[in-house]
Amino acid sequence: MDEQLLAAVQEAAQKKKFTKIQYVTNLQEYLTVTALIKQVQEREDGIYLELATGEEIKFDQLVKVGDTPSNKYNSRDFTCDC
């Protein structure tokens, strides 16, 4: 379990502030949204974020929440070699 990312998710949900959320969909699309995390739910198949829009994102699909990246990625994954 990525404790640091979970802490960032819970903090954003608690503070009820709009947060930049980057994640990968089931179709392997990389998406970025700025949204309010309405609640965090633990289910049999994992942890889910419910956004104020009604969209649900599975925790293991998260790439980055605010400034906190998932431990599946390193800081070089978020740099631009432009």
XYZ file of all heavy atoms in Angstrom:
659
model
N 0.848 -1.182 0.000
C 0.000 0.000 0.000
C 0.889 1.239 0.000
O 1.824 1.328 0.775
C -0.905 -0.022 1.222
C -1.735 1.217 1.430
S -2.993 1.597 0.218
C -4.042 0.194 0.334
N 0.560 2.171 -0.844
C 1.293 3.428 -0.952
C 0.744 4.397 0.099
O -0.205 5.131 -0.152
C 1.132 3.979 -2.367
C 2.006 5.180 -2.642
O 2.456 5.839 -1.682
O 2.239 5.464 -3.825
N 1.338 4.369 1.274
C 0.848 5.157 2.416
C 0.914 6.661 2.164
O 0.013 7.405 2.559
C 1.637 4.810 3.684
C 1.506 3.362 4.119
C 0.098 2.982 4.531
O -0.645 3.845 5.040
O -0.267 1.806 4.337
N 1.970 7.110 1.490
C 2.137 8.538 1.234
C 1.033 9.052 0.297
O 0.456 10.109 0.532
C 3.517 8.802 0.644
C 3.886 10.255 0.575
C 5.336 10.446 0.161
O 6.020 9.514 -0.215
N 5.796 11.674 0.210
N 0.731 8.292 -0.742
C -0.319 8.685 -1.674
C -1.683 8.621 -0.996
O -2.516 9.514 -1.173
C -0.298 7.787 -2.918
C -1.262 8.172 -4.032
C -0.962 9.569 -4.564
C -1.193 7.155 -5.159
N -1.919 7.604 -0.192
C -3.184 7.487 0.534
C -3.369 8.673 1.480
O -4.470 9.223 1.586
C -3.248 6.171 1.307
C -4.552 5.888 2.044
C -5.748 5.898 1.100
C -4.466 4.566 2.791
N -2.310 9.098 2.126
C -2.381 10.258 3.016
C -2.741 11.518 2.229
O -3.550 12.340 2.693
C -1.066 10.445 3.757
N -2.181 11.672 1.033
C -2.492 12.832 0.185
C -3.957 12.810 -0.244
O -4.627 13.841 -0.270
C -1.576 12.858 -1.032
N -4.471 11.630 -0.580
C -5.877 11.479 -0.974
C -6.785 11.825 0.199
O -7.749 12.593 0.055
C -6.144 10.038 -1.463
C -7.633 9.759 -1.565
C -5.459 9.789 -2.794
N -6.493 11.286 1.358
C -7.337 11.540 2.533
C -7.292 13.006 2.950
O -8.308 13.567 3.349
C -6.921 10.618 3.671
C -7.274 9.172 3.396
C -6.743 8.210 4.430
O -5.717 8.447 5.064
N -7.445 7.092 4.589
N -6.132 13.629 2.834
C -6.018 15.049 3.178
C -6.848 15.902 2.228
O -7.569 16.804 2.663
C -4.555 15.494 3.125
C -4.369 16.955 3.432
C -2.931 17.413 3.325
O -2.023 16.570 3.274
O -2.722 18.640 3.279
N -6.775 15.606 0.935
C -7.557 16.360 -0.050
C -9.054 16.178 0.190
O -9.832 17.132 0.084
C -7.180 15.927 -1.464
N -9.466 14.963 0.528
C -10.883 14.697 0.798
C -11.341 15.421 2.062
O -12.440 15.993 2.093
C -11.119 13.194 0.931
N -10.504 15.418 3.073
C -10.845 16.053 4.344
C -10.945 17.572 4.199
O -11.855 18.194 4.727
C -9.809 15.696 5.405
C -10.092 16.289 6.754
C -8.987 15.974 7.756
O -7.844 15.738 7.384
N -9.341 15.972 9.021
N -10.004 18.151 3.448
C -9.979 19.605 3.290
C -11.002 20.107 2.278
O -11.225 21.312 2.174
C -8.584 20.075 2.888
C -7.581 19.936 4.002
C -6.257 20.520 3.607
C -5.292 20.451 4.780
N -4.004 21.061 4.450
N -11.599 19.180 1.531
C -12.607 19.518 0.522
C -12.107 20.615 -0.407
O -12.754 21.646 -0.593
C -13.921 19.911 1.173
C -14.545 18.786 1.975
C -15.940 19.123 2.380
C -16.565 18.074 3.260
N -16.628 16.747 2.743
N -10.929 20.375 -0.993
C -10.372 21.346 -1.923
C -10.159 20.684 -3.281
O -9.964 19.470 -3.381
C -9.053 21.909 -1.404
C -7.928 20.895 -1.309
C -6.650 21.551 -0.855
C -5.509 20.533 -0.921
N -4.236 21.147 -0.635
N -10.238 21.498 -4.321
C -9.995 20.978 -5.654
C -8.539 20.549 -5.765
O -7.637 21.273 -5.347
C -10.329 22.036 -6.713
C -11.799 22.158 -6.957
C -12.569 23.031 -6.207
C -12.418 21.392 -7.919
C -13.928 23.143 -6.418
C -13.782 21.484 -8.149
C -14.535 22.366 -7.392
N -8.333 19.379 -6.306
C -7.009 18.771 -6.381
C -6.763 18.231 -7.774
O -7.661 17.661 -8.393
C -6.905 17.612 -5.362
O -7.233 18.106 -4.059
C -5.515 17.006 -5.327
N -5.547 18.374 -8.262
C -5.159 17.805 -9.545
C -4.916 16.305 -9.344
O -4.112 15.908 -8.495
C -3.888 18.482 -10.058
C -3.454 18.020 -11.425
C -2.241 18.829 -11.872
C -1.739 18.366 -13.203
N -0.553 19.146 -13.624
N -5.640 15.485 -10.105
C -5.560 14.033 -9.982
C -5.171 13.458 -11.336
O -5.847 13.720 -12.333
C -6.918 13.445 -9.535
C -7.338 14.058 -8.197
C -6.846 11.926 -9.454
C -8.769 13.786 -7.824
N -4.088 12.703 -11.362
C -3.643 12.048 -12.589
C -3.796 10.548 -12.384
O -3.402 10.016 -11.344
C -2.195 12.405 -12.895
C -2.012 13.892 -13.133
C -0.557 14.287 -13.284
O 0.335 13.632 -12.774
N -0.328 15.376 -13.991
N -4.381 9.882 -13.389
C -4.637 8.451 -13.246
C -4.685 7.773 -14.608
O -4.743 8.434 -15.643
C -5.927 8.200 -12.472
C -7.188 8.679 -13.152
C -8.014 7.774 -13.816
C -7.568 10.012 -13.129
C -9.180 8.198 -14.441
C -8.719 10.439 -13.736
C -9.530 9.534 -14.397
O -10.675 9.953 -15.016
N -4.653 6.456 -14.589
C -4.733 5.642 -15.791
C -6.080 4.917 -15.763
O -6.433 4.301 -14.756
C -3.576 4.620 -15.844
C -3.680 3.743 -17.078
C -2.238 5.339 -15.807
N -6.815 4.993 -16.876
C -8.121 4.336 -16.943
C -7.952 2.850 -17.245
O -6.845 2.381 -17.516
C -9.001 4.951 -18.044
O -8.429 4.625 -19.318
C -9.139 6.452 -17.880
N -9.076 2.132 -17.243
C -9.052 0.712 -17.595
C -8.603 0.489 -19.032
O -8.146 -0.600 -19.372
C -10.437 0.094 -17.393
C -10.842 0.065 -15.935
O -9.993 0.077 -15.050
N -12.129 0.052 -15.684
N -8.744 1.511 -19.882
C -8.324 1.426 -21.281
C -6.895 1.929 -21.486
O -6.471 2.179 -22.597
C -9.285 2.226 -22.168
C -10.738 1.770 -22.138
C -11.609 2.730 -22.933
C -10.860 0.359 -22.674
N -6.171 2.128 -20.368
C -4.793 2.603 -20.367
C -4.659 4.030 -20.905
O -3.647 4.407 -21.473
C -3.870 1.647 -21.135
C -3.802 0.248 -20.546
C -3.419 0.254 -19.062
O -2.458 0.882 -18.663
N -4.211 -0.420 -18.245
N -5.700 4.830 -20.716
C -5.645 6.254 -21.047
C -5.077 6.985 -19.832
O -5.443 6.686 -18.703
C -7.041 6.807 -21.322
C -7.766 6.153 -22.457
C -9.225 6.543 -22.476
O -9.924 6.301 -21.471
O -9.655 7.096 -23.495
N -4.196 7.940 -20.079
C -3.632 8.754 -19.012
C -4.450 10.031 -18.947
O -4.477 10.798 -19.910
C -2.165 9.054 -19.310
C -1.491 9.914 -18.280
C -0.984 9.364 -17.117
C -1.350 11.289 -18.469
C -0.361 10.146 -16.173
C -0.727 12.081 -17.532
C -0.238 11.500 -16.380
O 0.380 12.283 -15.441
N -5.151 10.254 -17.841
C -6.021 11.418 -17.709
C -5.617 12.281 -16.525
O -5.113 11.772 -15.517
C -7.477 10.982 -17.527
C -8.096 10.177 -18.662
C -9.532 9.798 -18.309
C -8.076 10.949 -19.961
N -5.876 13.564 -16.668
C -5.663 14.519 -15.588
C -6.957 15.294 -15.391
O -7.520 15.818 -16.356
C -4.529 15.498 -15.932
O -3.326 14.772 -16.162
C -4.298 16.488 -14.808
N -7.429 15.348 -14.165
C -8.611 16.129 -13.821
C -8.291 16.975 -12.594
O -7.418 16.628 -11.801
C -9.847 15.240 -13.536
C -10.258 14.454 -14.760
C -9.611 14.309 -12.364
N -8.981 18.065 -12.475
C -8.929 18.852 -11.245
C -10.319 18.739 -10.648
O -11.296 19.185 -11.252
C -8.559 20.314 -11.531
O -7.280 20.339 -12.177
C -8.491 21.116 -10.241
N -10.403 18.099 -9.504
C -11.713 17.776 -8.947
C -11.680 17.740 -7.431
O -10.622 17.722 -6.812
C -12.177 16.426 -9.482
N -12.864 17.696 -6.882
C -13.058 17.555 -5.448
C -13.225 16.074 -5.135
O -14.016 15.392 -5.785
C -14.355 18.283 -5.076
C -14.450 18.989 -3.753
C -13.515 20.176 -3.740
C -15.875 19.467 -3.551
N -12.470 15.561 -4.183
C -12.644 14.170 -3.759
C -13.753 14.161 -2.717
O -13.607 14.715 -1.631
C -11.341 13.583 -3.185
C -10.239 13.606 -4.246
C -11.582 12.161 -2.684
C -8.870 13.200 -3.737
N -14.860 13.551 -3.085
C -16.042 13.528 -2.212
C -15.843 12.571 -1.048
O -16.124 12.901 0.095
C -17.266 13.128 -3.031
C -18.565 13.177 -2.290
C -19.717 12.853 -3.232
C -21.029 12.810 -2.499
N -22.133 12.467 -3.418
N -15.353 11.357 -1.367
C -15.112 10.383 -0.303
C -14.151 9.307 -0.779
O -13.926 9.129 -1.963
C -16.418 9.760 0.181
C -17.155 8.944 -0.836
C -18.437 8.353 -0.245
O -18.573 8.218 0.969
N -19.371 8.006 -1.102
N -13.591 8.604 0.190
C -12.696 7.476 -0.067
C -13.378 6.258 0.532
O -13.751 6.265 1.705
C -11.310 7.702 0.584
C -10.387 6.538 0.308
C -10.699 9.012 0.102
N -13.575 5.222 -0.300
C -14.286 4.023 0.144
C -13.397 2.804 0.006
O -12.717 2.650 -1.010
C -15.532 3.777 -0.706
C -16.542 4.873 -0.681
C -17.686 4.574 -1.635
O -17.526 3.879 -2.629
N -18.857 5.111 -1.327
N -13.438 1.950 1.007
C -12.743 0.673 0.916
C -13.778 -0.396 0.591
O -14.786 -0.523 1.270
C -12.024 0.337 2.224
C -11.113 -0.845 2.071
C -10.151 -1.004 3.239
O -10.000 -0.057 4.023
O -9.563 -2.094 3.332
N -13.519 -1.131 -0.484
C -14.410 -2.212 -0.927
C -13.628 -3.512 -0.949
O -12.426 -3.530 -0.690
C -14.945 -1.917 -2.325
C -15.719 -0.615 -2.421
C -16.227 -0.413 -3.810
N -16.789 0.912 -3.969
C -17.025 1.473 -5.132
N -16.758 0.823 -6.249
N -17.536 2.673 -5.198
N -14.312 -4.596 -1.290
C -13.659 -5.910 -1.338
C -12.499 -5.943 -2.321
O -11.497 -6.599 -2.077
C -14.674 -6.986 -1.722
C -15.667 -7.309 -0.643
C -16.626 -8.400 -1.066
O -16.356 -9.092 -2.071
O -17.651 -8.559 -0.387
N -12.651 -5.222 -3.439
C -11.617 -5.265 -4.477
C -10.645 -4.091 -4.417
O -9.848 -3.888 -5.322
C -12.238 -5.365 -5.868
C -13.114 -4.177 -6.215
O -13.597 -3.496 -5.290
O -13.319 -3.929 -7.412
N -10.681 -3.295 -3.356
C -9.714 -2.225 -3.201
C -10.331 -0.926 -2.723
O -11.500 -0.856 -2.367
N -9.514 0.112 -2.752
C -9.913 1.445 -2.310
C -10.316 2.260 -3.537
O -9.653 2.202 -4.574
C -8.758 2.133 -1.561
C -8.411 1.348 -0.302
C -9.113 3.576 -1.209
C -7.163 1.837 0.410
N -11.397 3.021 -3.400
C -11.895 3.858 -4.487
C -12.043 5.295 -4.018
O -12.415 5.548 -2.874
C -13.265 3.373 -4.965
C -13.213 2.121 -5.795
C -13.121 0.879 -5.192
C -13.252 2.179 -7.175
C -13.071 -0.282 -5.941
C -13.203 1.027 -7.943
C -13.118 -0.193 -7.321
O -13.059 -1.348 -8.071
N -11.787 6.235 -4.937
C -12.062 7.642 -4.702
C -13.345 7.960 -5.443
O -13.488 7.587 -6.605
C -10.975 8.526 -5.311
C -9.627 8.664 -4.650
C -8.880 7.358 -4.677
C -8.847 9.744 -5.338
N -14.246 8.632 -4.781
C -15.429 9.136 -5.475
C -15.269 10.642 -5.592
O -15.101 11.342 -4.593
C -16.711 8.809 -4.710
C -17.944 9.300 -5.433
C -19.228 9.082 -4.664
O -19.223 8.350 -3.665
O -20.238 9.675 -5.075
N -15.303 11.126 -6.825
C -15.176 12.551 -7.069
C -16.544 13.210 -6.970
O -17.579 12.542 -7.068
C -14.571 12.796 -8.451
C -13.233 12.116 -8.722
C -12.719 12.499 -10.115
C -12.201 12.441 -7.658
N -16.567 14.521 -6.800
C -17.827 15.256 -6.696
C -18.650 15.114 -7.973
O -19.869 15.253 -7.940
C -17.550 16.721 -6.399
N -18.014 14.792 -9.078
C -18.714 14.592 -10.351
C -19.432 13.252 -10.402
O -20.179 12.986 -11.332
C -17.718 14.643 -11.525
O -16.751 13.604 -11.345
C -17.026 15.980 -11.609
N -19.158 12.366 -9.443
C -19.736 11.035 -9.429
C -18.800 9.981 -9.998
O -19.040 8.787 -9.857
N -17.725 10.420 -10.624
C -16.740 9.482 -11.182
C -16.018 8.755 -10.053
O -15.738 9.331 -9.007
C -15.722 10.249 -12.033
C -14.708 9.386 -12.715
C -13.770 10.190 -13.606
O -13.902 11.424 -13.680
O -12.910 9.568 -14.218
N -15.735 7.475 -10.273
C -14.996 6.685 -9.299
C -13.667 6.246 -9.908
O -13.622 5.810 -11.052
C -15.799 5.462 -8.878
C -17.045 5.814 -8.100
C -17.789 4.599 -7.597
O -17.578 3.485 -8.113
O -18.585 4.771 -6.668
N -12.612 6.372 -9.121
C -11.269 5.994 -9.555
C -10.712 5.007 -8.546
O -10.709 5.282 -7.341
C -10.337 7.220 -9.640
C -10.921 8.275 -10.581
C -8.942 6.799 -10.084
C -10.197 9.609 -10.525
N -10.244 3.876 -9.035
C -9.637 2.887 -8.146
C -8.252 3.391 -7.725
O -7.492 3.915 -8.536
C -9.539 1.531 -8.850
C -9.226 0.414 -7.913
C -9.415 -0.933 -8.563
C -9.094 -2.013 -7.545
N -9.137 -3.336 -8.123
N -7.932 3.229 -6.464
C -6.685 3.748 -5.899
C -5.448 3.266 -6.658
O -4.524 4.034 -6.886
C -6.586 3.364 -4.412
C -5.376 3.919 -3.725
C -5.346 5.240 -3.315
C -4.266 3.131 -3.496
C -4.230 5.775 -2.677
C -3.143 3.641 -2.868
C -3.130 4.970 -2.452
N -5.446 2.011 -7.087
C -4.254 1.492 -7.763
C -4.095 2.027 -9.183
O -3.090 1.761 -9.839
C -4.204 -0.036 -7.740
C -5.344 -0.700 -8.480
O -6.175 -0.008 -9.099
O -5.409 -1.945 -8.432
N -5.050 2.828 -9.665
C -4.942 3.459 -10.977
C -4.360 4.874 -10.876
O -4.078 5.503 -11.892
C -6.309 3.518 -11.665
C -6.845 2.154 -12.044
C -8.232 2.242 -12.628
O -9.163 2.717 -11.979
N -8.363 1.790 -13.858
N -4.181 5.366 -9.658
C -3.663 6.716 -9.467
C -2.201 6.814 -9.860
O -1.405 5.917 -9.589
C -3.816 7.147 -8.009
C -5.236 7.345 -7.509
C -5.223 7.655 -6.014
C -5.925 8.455 -8.273
N -1.868 7.921 -10.498
C -0.488 8.224 -10.853
C 0.049 9.312 -9.916
O 1.145 9.194 -9.380
C -0.389 8.684 -12.325
C 1.014 9.152 -12.666
C -0.835 7.563 -13.264
N -0.776 10.334 -9.715
C -0.346 11.457 -8.880
C -1.565 12.194 -8.350
O -2.535 12.386 -9.070
C 0.515 12.405 -9.721
C 1.262 13.456 -8.966
C 2.191 14.212 -9.916
C 3.005 15.238 -9.178
N 3.870 16.005 -10.094
N -1.525 12.589 -7.087
C -2.575 13.387 -6.469
C -1.906 14.624 -5.894
O -1.045 14.509 -5.013
C -3.326 12.602 -5.371
C -4.310 13.495 -4.641
C -4.036 11.400 -5.973
N -2.281 15.799 -6.413
C -1.601 17.025 -6.012
C -0.138 16.920 -6.405
O 0.183 16.656 -7.565
N 0.747 17.075 -5.439
C 2.193 16.971 -5.692
C 2.753 15.624 -5.278
O 3.972 15.428 -5.294
C 2.935 18.081 -4.924
C 2.605 19.458 -5.464
O 2.377 19.575 -6.686
O 2.561 20.424 -4.671
N 1.900 14.679 -4.898
C 2.357 13.383 -4.391
C 2.186 12.301 -5.451
O 1.063 11.928 -5.788
C 1.566 12.988 -3.126
O 1.653 14.052 -2.179
C 2.122 11.713 -2.520
N 3.306 11.785 -5.977
C 3.206 10.718 -6.984
C 3.046 9.349 -6.326
O 3.414 9.144 -5.174
C 4.547 10.792 -7.710
C 5.492 11.323 -6.689
C 4.676 12.240 -5.805
N 2.485 8.425 -7.086
C 2.401 7.038 -6.648
C 3.810 6.477 -6.548
O 4.705 6.885 -7.292
C 1.592 6.234 -7.667
O 1.730 4.864 -7.439
N 4.032 5.510 -5.665
C 5.373 4.928 -5.555
C 5.713 4.026 -6.742
O 6.815 3.516 -6.825
C 5.555 4.201 -4.219
C 4.611 3.039 -4.031
O 3.922 2.608 -4.962
N 4.551 2.524 -2.819
N 4.767 3.854 -7.688
C 5.045 3.107 -8.916
C 5.846 3.946 -9.913
O 6.315 3.438 -10.911
C 3.741 2.686 -9.600
C 2.888 1.740 -8.807
C 1.676 1.365 -9.640
C 0.412 1.577 -8.863
N -0.788 1.332 -9.651
N 5.953 5.245 -9.645
C 6.617 6.172 -10.559
C 7.734 6.888 -9.805
O 7.698 7.018 -8.598
C 5.613 7.195 -11.090
C 4.452 6.539 -11.802
C 3.301 6.187 -11.103
C 4.514 6.241 -13.152
C 2.239 5.564 -11.733
C 3.463 5.627 -13.796
C 2.324 5.289 -13.078
O 1.279 4.662 -13.703
N 8.725 7.380 -10.555
C 9.775 8.180 -9.914
C 9.690 9.614 -10.423
O 8.942 9.910 -11.358
C 11.169 7.563 -10.134
C 11.592 7.551 -11.576
O 11.492 8.560 -12.259
N 12.070 6.413 -12.054
N 10.446 10.500 -9.817
C 10.341 11.920 -10.140
C 10.689 12.211 -11.602
O 10.186 13.166 -12.185
C 11.234 12.744 -9.208
O 12.579 12.348 -9.355
N 11.510 11.390 -12.226
C 11.868 11.607 -13.639
C 10.668 11.390 -14.563
O 10.639 11.907 -15.674
C 13.009 10.687 -14.044
C 14.333 11.044 -13.377
C 15.471 10.169 -13.864
N 15.559 10.044 -15.307
C 16.211 10.879 -16.114
N 16.832 11.925 -15.599
N 16.255 10.682 -17.407
N 9.681 10.642 -14.113
C 8.481 10.416 -14.923
C 7.667 11.694 -15.077
O 6.798 11.777 -15.945
C 7.597 9.346 -14.296
C 8.239 7.971 -14.304
O 9.020 7.678 -15.222
O 7.957 7.192 -13.376
N 7.933 12.713 -14.268
C 7.149 13.935 -14.290
C 7.957 15.141 -14.765
O 7.582 16.258 -14.500
C 6.578 14.206 -12.887
C 5.710 13.074 -12.407
C 6.206 12.156 -11.502
C 4.437 12.902 -12.889
C 5.418 11.084 -11.071
C 3.643 11.845 -12.471
C 4.144 10.934 -11.563
N 9.043 14.883 -15.471
C 9.836 15.970 -16.018
C 9.664 16.012 -17.536
O 9.314 15.013 -18.160
C 11.335 15.824 -15.679
O 11.799 14.587 -16.225
C 11.576 15.850 -14.193
N 9.937 17.134 -18.094
C 9.797 17.307 -19.548
C 11.184 17.553 -20.142
O 11.925 18.403 -19.670
C 8.877 18.476 -19.850
S 8.695 18.807 -21.598
N 11.527 16.808 -21.163
C 12.813 17.000 -21.840
C 12.612 17.848 -23.082
O 13.114 17.535 -24.159
C 13.426 15.638 -22.224
C 13.879 14.847 -21.022
O 14.152 15.488 -19.987
O 13.952 13.622 -21.116
N 11.845 18.928 -22.931
C 11.535 19.788 -24.075
C 12.726 20.628 -24.471
O 13.505 21.040 -23.713
C 10.368 20.696 -23.729
S 8.885 19.811 -23.264
